[in-house]
Amino acid sequence: MRTHPIFAALRHHRLATTLIVLQIALACAVMCNACSLIAARWQAMQLVTGIDEASLGTLYLSGFEPGRANDLNARMVAGLRAIPGVTAVNVVNTVPFSHGAGTVGVTLDAAGQREGGVVDVYLGTPGTLEALGIRIVEGRAPGAEDYRPVGDFFPSQANVLITRAAADHMWPGVSPLGKEIFVDKNHFRVIGVMEHLSIARPGSMGPEETDWSVFAPSLAGPTLAGTYVIRAKPGDLPAVMHKAREAVTALAPDAVLIRENSDSLPALRAAHFANDRAMMSLLVGIIATLLLVTALGIVGLASFWVQRRRKQIGIRRAIGASRRDIVQYFQLENFFIVSMGIGAGVLLAYAASLTLMHFYEVPLLPPWYLAVGGATLWILGQLAVLGPALRAAAVPPVVATRAG
């Protein structure tokens, strides 16, 4: 099919063509970047914490006097273990998706010259690793002799376990067993490697640092009190957590239950990612609206041109053009318009991605998003123009030639 008549018609209607090209460009740019943000949010929501979330819940108490911490721990542990369905209770400093605790910068030498990164240090009493369901992939689990009293924040000297991700960052290519890390005056020696243990507040650090965690075996005391991890069968967990929250009033009248951090791990995960889900829904709505508006714009422009060109269509039909030829003409014309819009949209999307990367440290838009976005708009354009093109092809030649 000759393209000269198509470009001649587009030049004759510059304003309408320019407006629809700009609309397609904006839709392409917004859709590509929005899809990238949706994918990033979705990936973040698939976080592997390394613990048996379906079987775990936590209670977080505050407001108690530090001098009564040992008594509080004893009352809470004994009372929670007595709840039907509870299989384990341990004192910890935090769990994933609960309150943040123990985020520190570590060094790989006592002088502090070799930085090891920022990690979350988890503290837990004997049996915590088993209760959490953490998998150890190298080295050994802590023995009874490894559990130490907690000082101001951590045990001053401790044999610890570290996640594989953190170990690979600190000592790439070598085994971390026996290696040392330092937090101010606290000295840790690595005895085991955990497959995963996410930081307490995923999203507070970069995606590469989400699994940078250390577990320090600890004994309950004045600085390790008030936070408890509860294990139960997944089917029993909702009822167990309900009873556990109700039991706090009787077990710890001298403390305040922080309800937003006291729930099952599935519920805490859902609450943690609630904003991400809302953002994804908003972006999906924006994309759908843009595509709808773009499709309506293409339909409207094509319908307008069909109406304006009835006489030309009739002449072409009269000299032998088939209905298929008419349909192909409008589809090819629309293909050129959409292609111009996609070209401008790709440049706009890339510029927007560079801006986001510079100011907000968002990763650069992967090229395949641009390809998928362009293909989507091409398909949308062909489907949108099909109705007006079929109406044009259905115009009888005699009626068309008599049109004023």
Side-chain angles (χ1 to χ4, degrees):
M1 177 180 290
R2 295 175 58 190
T3 59
H4 176 71
I6 294 176
F7 289 114
L10 294 180
R11 285 195 300 270
H12 186 66
H13 299 89
R14 289 188 181 91
L15 180 59
T17 302
T18 301
L19 290 176
I20 198 67
V21 165
L22 291 177
Q23 182 179 356
I24 293 170
L26 178 62
C28 180
V30 173
M31 183 176 66
C32 289
N33 281 283
C35 286
S36 178
L37 292 174
I38 290 172
R41 301 271 181 170
W42 174 258
Q43 185 176 8
M45 290 173 62
Q46 307 313 304
L47 171 73
V48 176
T49 58
I51 65 176
D52 186 9
E53 296 178 38
S55 303
L56 298 172
T58 184
L59 295 180
Y60 176 35
L61 277 60
S62 184
F64 55 88
E65 296 181 8
R68 298 180 60 84
N70 288 331
D71 177 53
L72 174 70
N73 283 335
R75 282 183 277 130
M76 286 298 299
V77 171
L80 293 175
R81 286 176 177 169
I83 296 175
V86 172
T87 58
V89 177
N90 292 89
V91 186
V92 296
N93 64 334
T94 189
V95 295
F97 309 121
S98 186
H99 59 286
T103 302
V104 293
V106 301
T107 61
L108 306 183
D109 62 344
Q113 300 299 313
R114 299 172 56 206
E115 294 185 357
V118 177
V119 302
D120 267 18
V121 180
Y122 284 86
L123 309 178
T125 54
T128 297
L129 287 177
E130 293 79 5
L132 293 176
I134 291 175
R135 183 169 175 243
I136 299 174
V137 294
E138 187 177 353
R140 64 176 179 85
E145 70 282 359
D146 295 313
Y147 288 86
R148 309 285 178 83
V150 179
D152 292 336
F153 298 101
F154 314 112
S156 59
Q157 305 285 330
N159 294 327
V160 302
L161 290 89
I162 190 170
T163 58
R164 172 59 69 192
D168 289 343
H169 169 75
M170 296 180 192
W171 305 285
V174 299
S175 172
L177 298 182
K179 301 292 185 181
E180 299 177 326
I181 54 179
F182 300 84
V183 181
D184 294 330
K185 298 179 181 180
N186 302 304
H187 169 223
F188 299 157
R189 184 182 300 275
V190 178
I191 61 170
V193 178
M194 301 175 288
E195 184 177 29
H196 293 289
L197 178 56
S198 76
I199 60 176
R201 300 298 297 173
S204 60
M205 295 191 284
E208 297 83 4
E209 302 167 344
T210 297
D211 213 28
W212 290 6
S213 298
V214 172
F215 177 81
S218 307
L219 296 175
T223 50
L224 181 58
T227 303
Y228 309 94
V229 62
I230 302 169
R231 185 177 181 89
K233 293 181 179 180
D236 297 335
L237 187 60
V240 164
M241 290 307 302
H242 178 73
K243 293 177 181 178
R245 286 190 294 267
E246 288 186 337
V248 171
T249 302
L251 295 173
D254 51 340
V256 177
L257 177 68
I258 309 301
R259 289 190 172 273
E260 65 185 26
N261 298 118
S262 301
D263 212 327
S264 66
L265 265 294
L268 291 178
R269 172 188 274 269
H272 182 81
F273 289 117
N275 289 337
D276 294 89
R277 289 194 301 274
M279 179 61 71
M280 288 173 61
S281 299
L282 177 62
L283 291 174
V284 168
I286 291 173
I287 292 173
T289 302
L290 276 175
L291 292 178
L292 176 61
V293 171
T294 302
L296 292 176
I298 294 172
V299 170
L301 183 62
S303 298
F304 171 74
W305 283 350
V306 168
Q307 185 65 30
R308 291 288 300 270
R309 299 174 186 172
R310 285 175 61 85
K311 190 169 185 177
Q312 292 89 331
I313 294 169
I315 293 173
R316 290 198 61 194
R317 289 294 311 279
I319 62 176
S322 65
R323 292 188 176 187
R324 181 176 180 181
D325 292 332
I326 301 300
V327 172
Q328 287 181 343
Y329 174 89
F330 280 98
Q331 286 186 320
L332 185 58
E333 182 179 66
N334 185 72
F335 177 81
F336 288 139
I337 295 173
V338 173
S339 296
M340 288 188 289
I342 290 173
V346 166
L347 295 177
L348 185 59
Y350 191 72
S353 181
L354 285 175
T355 303
L356 290 172
M357 182 180 69
H358 178 73
F359 289 102
Y360 301 102
E361 299 182 358
V362 175
L364 187 63
L365 185 68
W368 70 270
Y369 280 98
L370 301 174
V372 172
T376 300
L377 285 170
W378 266 315
I379 295 171
L380 178 69
Q382 293 304 302
L383 292 175
V385 81
L386 186 59
L390 290 173
R391 288 198 300 272
V395 174
V398 173
V399 173
T401 55
R402 290 178 180 173

